[in-house]
Amino acid sequence: MENFVFRNPTKIVFGKGQIAHLARELPADARILLTYGGGSIMANGVYAQTKAALGDRTVFELSGIEPNPRYETLMRGVALVKEHKLDYLLSVGGGSVLDGTKFIAAAVPFTEGDPWRILSENAEVKSALPIGAVLTLPATGSESNGAAVISRDDQKLAFINPLVYPVFSILDPETTFTLPPRQIANGVIDSFVHVMEQYMTYPAAAPLQDRFAESLLQTLIEIGPQLMAKPGDYDLHATFMWTATLALNGLIGAGVPQDWATHIIGHELTALHGTDHARTLAVVLPSLLDVQRVGKREKLLQWAERVWGVREGTPEERIDAAIARMRAFFESLGVPTRLSGHGIPDTVAAVVEQRLAARKVDAIGERGDITPAVVRRILAAAA
Ligand code: NZQ
Ligand code: ZN
């Protein structure tokens, strides 16, 4: 096992009716910027529950944070915080609203030029405003991690900093009952791929992390179709929500090699074509596993047997069968696993190769062997 430091400071408040207790988590004199998206929280009553719980605290609002949150919108939030001397951010919505809120938290105290430098140049974040979250979409793990992904023009970039972990996150599974099937499918696949990127590398003498990861994958495989068939089943939604959090809160990735290439490539597809985040992953991962099958061979065989129950055939046949099973799982949720299924032309392979080369993203994957040329092969094989 590799050395690691594990510290997850986010307090999770989980369950039915927990939004009502929001006030317990916030200082009585907090001056709050409440951030949200395009209106789902109005339609499902989460906004009303939140406002009721906030009592007579001072609250300003930033609405309209887009899926794949945009820099310009978030800078409006930065201006509101400065103008009204706000000191606490409260994100109410999915991963995009929360990621955007993390950027605002880091951008307000940033004094070294344009805060976009936090993303484009990895400029140091020295302080951040405190963030609370009411999560309405299980998928990203943003409710319990220090990552955020922000878009500007045709760029979609991530930053990670321990200062932007939410102080607390309220996870009420009932808020997810209104998710359309497309977002449920996206959430299941995004969580699945987060687990895979911390698991599907090479053996690291970490059997516990392996089994944590395998149990999360098996849970997602089990509940995915049930969530689609039985919307509104509390226990299913609760399991979904907690699984998505555990998939990317640092626990399963402690002490093991990781491979975030699928996400890095997927973000390029979203930046170029606007494709939903999870849908890009459903296209990239099957192809990446196929192309990288030599380096990942031992874990692919372990995964085939333990997660998919594939025990028959030669090693290559077992790997093929497991990848095919994963593809079929994604497609059973209504998500195509080929570029063509999302209307993305195969010419994107060369474009992404060039973009990554220009940004010097030239050695990704757990062994640093995924070069821009390999990315091109992966995307060409996903046409
Ligand atoms: O904007 P509103 O009206 O709220 O509608 C949203 C949005 O249209 C809707 N929605 C959210 N909760 C709902 C709901 N609709 C009905 N009922 C509810 N309860 O769903 C749509 C998608 O929301 P979004 O927040 O964009 O989805 P998600 O949570 O999947 O977040 C995706 C973003 O997170 C980033 C992605 O790149 C993408 O930008 N990621 C962040 C990560 C992190 N911070 O660690 C890791 C991930 O890998 C990912 O990259
Ligand atoms: Zn993701």
Side-chain angles (χ1 to χ4, degrees):
M1 198 187 300
E2 297 175 359
N3 294 352
F4 66 88
V5 173
F6 177 71
R7 179 167 189 267
N8 188 317
T10 303
K11 175 177 179 181
I12 300 289
V13 181
F14 192 97
K16 269 181 213 187
Q18 296 305 306
I19 298 173
H21 303 308
L22 191 51
R24 282 187 203 154
E25 309 303 330
L26 290 162
D29 59 352
R31 293 176 57 80
I32 296 167
L33 180 70
L34 192 163
T35 55
Y36 57 99
S40 71
I41 65 164
M42 299 294 176
N44 63 14
V46 171
Y47 176 84
Q49 287 184 57
T50 303
K51 286 288 280 192
L54 288 173
D56 57 7
R57 286 179 177 77
T58 302
V59 180
F60 287 80
E61 297 187 3
L62 175 70
S63 63
I65 298 181
E66 309 82 355
N68 310 307
R70 302 208 69 87
Y71 165 85
E72 291 77 11
T73 309
L74 306 172
M75 290 306 286
R76 286 201 279 117
V78 172
L80 277 172
V81 169
K82 289 185 175 168
E83 182 184 344
H84 300 289
K85 301 195 173 13
L86 309 180
D87 57 18
Y88 214 107
L89 307 181
L90 181 62
S91 161
V92 185
S96 292
V97 174
L98 183 44
D99 281 11
T101 305
K102 290 176 177 178
F103 178 71
I104 297 170
V108 167
F110 189 78
T111 52
E112 285 150 49
D114 183 345
W116 180 248
R117 294 186 52 243
I118 296 168
L119 295 133
S120 63
E121 297 170 32
N122 210 10
E124 192 185 353
V125 173
K126 294 180 184 148
S127 66
L129 291 178
I131 301 167
V134 175
L135 187 76
T136 64
L137 201 176
T140 61
S142 190
E143 65 278 14
S144 188
N145 70 37
V149 191
I150 310 298
S151 297
R152 183 181 192 183
D153 302 326
D154 69 348
Q155 299 288 310
K156 180 173 182 183
L157 303 175
F159 79 99
I160 301 180
N161 192 287
L163 294 170
V164 297
Y165 274 79
V167 177
F168 67 88
S169 287
I170 297 186
L171 276 54
D172 177 348
E174 288 189 332
T175 65
T176 69
F177 287 177
T178 51
L179 283 169
R182 181 187 183 101
Q183 295 302 341
I184 295 205
N186 284 355
V188 169
I189 291 173
D190 194 19
S191 316
F192 189 96
V193 177
H194 294 157
V195 179
M196 288 294 283
E197 293 188 287
Q198 299 162 88
Y199 168 80
M200 187 48 72
T201 56
Y202 50 80
L208 178 63
Q209 289 90 324
D210 280 3
R211 288 196 169 86
F212 277 155
E214 288 155 0
S215 68
L216 294 172
L217 296 174
Q218 286 173 309
T219 302
L220 291 165
I221 293 165
E222 188 175 299
I223 66 171
Q226 296 182 42
L227 283 161
M228 304 306 264
K230 290 193 278 179
D233 179 308
Y234 180 81
D235 290 321
L236 278 176
H237 283 255
T239 298
F240 177 29
M241 208 165 200
W242 189 222
T243 306
T245 300
L246 289 170
L248 198 50
N249 72 345
L251 178 69
I252 66 169
V256 296
Q258 305 189 12
D259 170 11
W260 288 93
T262 299
H263 266 69
I264 291 168
I265 301 168
H267 289 166
E268 293 300 301
L269 299 179
T270 300
L272 290 164
H273 293 281
T275 315
D276 291 1
H277 170 62
R279 294 176 167 241
T280 68
L281 308 177
V283 168
V284 176
L285 183 62
S287 184
L288 181 141
L289 296 184
D290 194 18
V291 170
Q292 293 295 96
R293 65 166 62 208
V294 174
K296 296 182 186 292
R297 183 184 169 88
E298 286 177 69
K299 290 297 285 284
L300 281 166
L301 289 167
Q302 177 179 320
W303 175 68
E305 180 174 339
R306 291 195 192 169
V307 174
W308 298 107
V310 175
R311 295 186 180 81
E312 305 290 319
T314 65
E316 294 307 316
E317 286 168 349
R318 279 180 271 149
I319 291 171
D320 285 341
I323 296 173
R325 294 279 297 273
M326 181 179 73
R327 216 183 254 290
F329 171 56
F330 293 165
E331 290 187 354
S332 76
L333 300 172
V335 178
T337 59
R338 298 277 174 195
L339 289 170
S340 55
H342 302 278
I344 303 177
D346 58 7
T347 48
V348 81
V351 175
V352 173
E353 178 188 23
Q354 284 161 11
R355 282 165 59 98
L356 294 181
R359 294 213 312 269
K360 303 206 181 336
V361 182
D362 48 14
I364 51 178
E366 69 275 17
R367 299 173 201 270
D369 61 352
I370 303 183
T371 61
V374 175
V375 171
R376 182 178 185 155
R377 277 176 47 214
I378 290 167
L379 287 174

